[in-house]
Amino acid sequence: MALRLSPCVDASAESASVLALQNVLPFRRPDADGRRGGRIHLSPPELAGGEMEALEETLRSGWLAPAGPVPKAFESAFGHVSGFEHVLATSSGTAALHLGYRVLDVAPGDEVWAPTLTFVATVAPAVQMGARITFLDVASESWTLDPDMLRDALAQAAREGRLPRVVVPVDLYGQCADLDAIVSVCDRWGVPVMSDSAEALGATSRGRRAGQGARLACFSLNGNKIITAGGGGTLVSDDPELIASARHLGMQAKEAAPHYQHETTGYSYGFSSVLAAVGLMQLRALESRVASRRAVFDRYVAGLADLPGISFMPEPSWGQSSRWLSVMLIDSRRFGADREMVRRALDEAGIESRPVWKPLHLQPAFRSAGRIGGGVAAGLFERGLCLPSGSMSPAEQSRVIEVIRRLARG
Ligand SMILES: *Cc1c(COP(=O)(O)O)cnc(C)c1O
């Protein structure tokens, strides 16, 4: 077959390669049909409807590059859903964070402040850029960055002349950080805020949507998030210049010249058209996903909150969580079993659950990082368990609840 450089898809080559793939890939999850008796997962990806058609249309169009009309349409739809005017779609949420750190000019030796209770990706790119990380504790009312602790720590850092280059609050498990309070204390010292909202698309806080009010925010479209494109992320802002320079850096920092002129080096962080087609369809399901995740949370509360020693992630009066994950706290002395015993019992019953994020200040990778407090986060890690939170039949969720009830004292 002649080698073709045009972006057109050769239909026969396409079906031939799919046939070959079918011999090596298990296309179905073992429990994809016949859900009864199947394993219940923490946050499995779900189809929204229309993905197949969108994929087919995109493949046939020949627009497969990480540029062109499909990612553009995705960015515009994402702007609508997130409430941000400027959106850059990226190959992952971590890539979006990396570009965010770059456009905020984080340099070796700079301080970056983040809550300790988060996924490693919040700070990993900054570490790789040579920044020094300081972890702060979370507030027990929201499990997100404590604004009072931040205010005092910033005042102290200002006195010592070592203000952070950026503060990165995290919207945890679908719950927004108290961004108004955080931005107002950071504004006082001229420190920009980048919100890691990877887990909180669809959440609101004080009448605004996740990340709104921050200089930059990032989201993830990874397979376990509330909506997914099978991978991908976004960096968003109300500042067109920040997004324009992130876009430039994310596409290898090519200057406008036919020979590709480079004034600096960038990254290959573009969002594939193929994934953008899936993401476009998924975005339409966001509202119903939030409603269904909140209903899952409510059913856990109804089925478990009467047990001694059991409580749930609080929702502060100023925010509405997407309840991306339902998180339960176990006081082992009152309940009669600890978090690990519950997790193992669920696992044996074919149910996936996961401890709350291990605070980053307790991770060996961050032995030399700075730390302010951390006791609240450490306690949440010890007692907190994330329960299956995707779409489940009431019967499946009752199975989860039953396993936990059987472990209760008495
Ligand atoms: C998922 C996640 C990310 C990273 O997103 P990817 O798309 O997986 O790179 C970053 N921060 C937090 C808090 C996350 O949960």
Side-chain angles (χ1 to χ4, degrees):
M1 199 198 316
L3 185 65
R4 297 187 7 187
L5 286 172
S6 82
C8 298
V9 174
D10 180 319
S12 63
E14 183 195 10
S15 52
S17 64
V18 168
L19 283 177
L21 269 178
Q22 257 160 358
N23 295 329
V24 293
L25 289 180
F27 267 85
R28 281 175 164 277
R29 286 211 313 262
D31 56 357
D33 42 22
R35 294 165 64 90
R36 207 141 54 90
R39 197 169 163 78
I40 301 176
H41 295 275
L42 194 68
S43 182
E46 292 164 48
L47 290 181
E51 285 95 341
M52 299 296 182
E53 294 75 9
L55 269 174
E56 188 168 352
E57 216 175 296
T58 303
L59 291 171
R60 286 194 192 289
S61 78
W63 286 103
L64 304 186
V70 192
K72 196 160 208 52
F74 174 81
E75 287 175 348
S76 136
F78 196 91
H80 187 73
V81 161
S82 64
F84 280 88
E85 220 169 303
H86 303 282
V87 177
L88 171 66
T90 55
S91 53
S92 71
T94 310
L97 282 157
H98 192 180
L99 291 171
Y101 286 120
R102 255 307 277 269
V103 298
L104 292 174
D105 292 327
V106 168
D110 280 352
E111 282 256 350
V112 167
W113 289 11
T116 184
L117 192 62
T118 184
F119 181 50
V120 66
T122 303
V123 296
V127 172
Q128 290 147 9
M129 293 166 79
R132 294 186 7 233
I133 314 295
T134 292
F135 294 114
L136 286 84
D137 210 347
V138 295
S140 48
E141 65 154 357
S142 67
W143 300 15
T144 59
L145 182 61
D146 184 337
D148 296 328
M149 178 178 278
L150 177 65
R151 184 195 52 229
D152 296 347
L154 282 173
Q156 168 95 18
R159 279 194 296 274
E160 294 165 8
R162 42 164 203 90
L163 281 167
R165 181 83 249 177
V166 52
V167 169
V168 190
V170 177
D171 296 338
L172 201 77
Y173 298 131
Q175 181 141 284
C176 293
D178 191 353
L179 202 55
D180 282 4
I182 291 164
V183 167
S184 98
V185 301
C186 286
D187 274 354
R188 170 134 192 252
W189 305 106
V191 175
V193 172
M194 173 162 70
S195 177
D196 181 349
S197 301
E199 301 178 359
L201 188 62
T204 58
S205 163
R206 300 190 200 279
R208 294 205 276 188
R209 285 174 260 181
Q212 281 191 305
R215 197 82 203 287
L216 288 164
C218 77
F219 294 90
S220 168
L221 302 160
N222 199 351
N224 62 352
K225 298 303 202 287
I226 194 160
I227 64 149
T228 180
T234 57
L235 182 69
V236 300
S237 179
D238 294 324
D239 179 341
E241 277 172 31
L242 284 179
I243 296 303
S245 62
R247 190 180 300 282
H248 176 69
L249 288 167
M251 294 293 258
Q252 305 282 25
K254 295 173 196 151
E255 302 297 331
H259 59 264
Y260 294 152
Q261 180 81 4
H262 299 281
E263 308 289 336
T264 182
T265 62
Y267 315 90
S268 182
Y269 280 170
F271 188 45
S272 145
S273 294
V274 180
L275 300 187
V278 176
L280 258 174
M281 297 301 112
Q282 289 263 315
L283 278 176
R284 305 190 304 183
L286 179 62
E287 221 172 295
S288 69
R289 291 280 164 80
V290 172
S292 101
R293 299 237 170 187
R294 288 186 64 86
V296 164
F297 180 86
D298 291 344
R299 283 202 294 273
Y300 281 128
V301 172
L304 293 166
D306 63 306
L307 296 175
I310 293 295
S311 59
F312 288 86
M313 182 173 182
E315 186 176 48
S317 59
W318 40 262
Q320 199 197 44
S321 173
S322 70
R323 297 293 187 192
W324 170 56
L325 294 185
S326 287
V327 193
M328 178 176 83
L329 284 180
I330 304 155
D331 175 343
S332 59
R333 271 183 305 177
R334 292 181 55 219
F335 182 66
D338 66 13
R339 184 258 285 152
E340 258 322 271
M341 291 161 75
V342 177
R343 193 189 64 75
R344 268 188 262 115
L346 287 168
D347 187 50
E348 277 159 28
I351 298 162
E352 184 187 16
S353 65
R354 200 171 276 280
V356 160
W357 298 125
K358 179 172 181 174
L360 295 183
H361 76 270
L362 299 176
Q363 298 279 7
F366 297 107
R367 232 179 258 115
S368 57
R371 176 174 68 87
I372 302 171
V376 175
L380 294 173
F381 169 59
E382 200 179 308
R383 292 179 295 136
L385 190 65
C386 304
L387 299 173
S389 306
S391 81
M392 273 175 291
S393 67
E396 284 174 311
Q397 194 171 357
S398 298
R399 248 177 74 200
V400 181
I401 290 169
E402 258 329 290
V403 172
I404 297 169
R405 289 201 76 88
R406 276 206 301 272
L407 291 167
R409 162 168 291 152

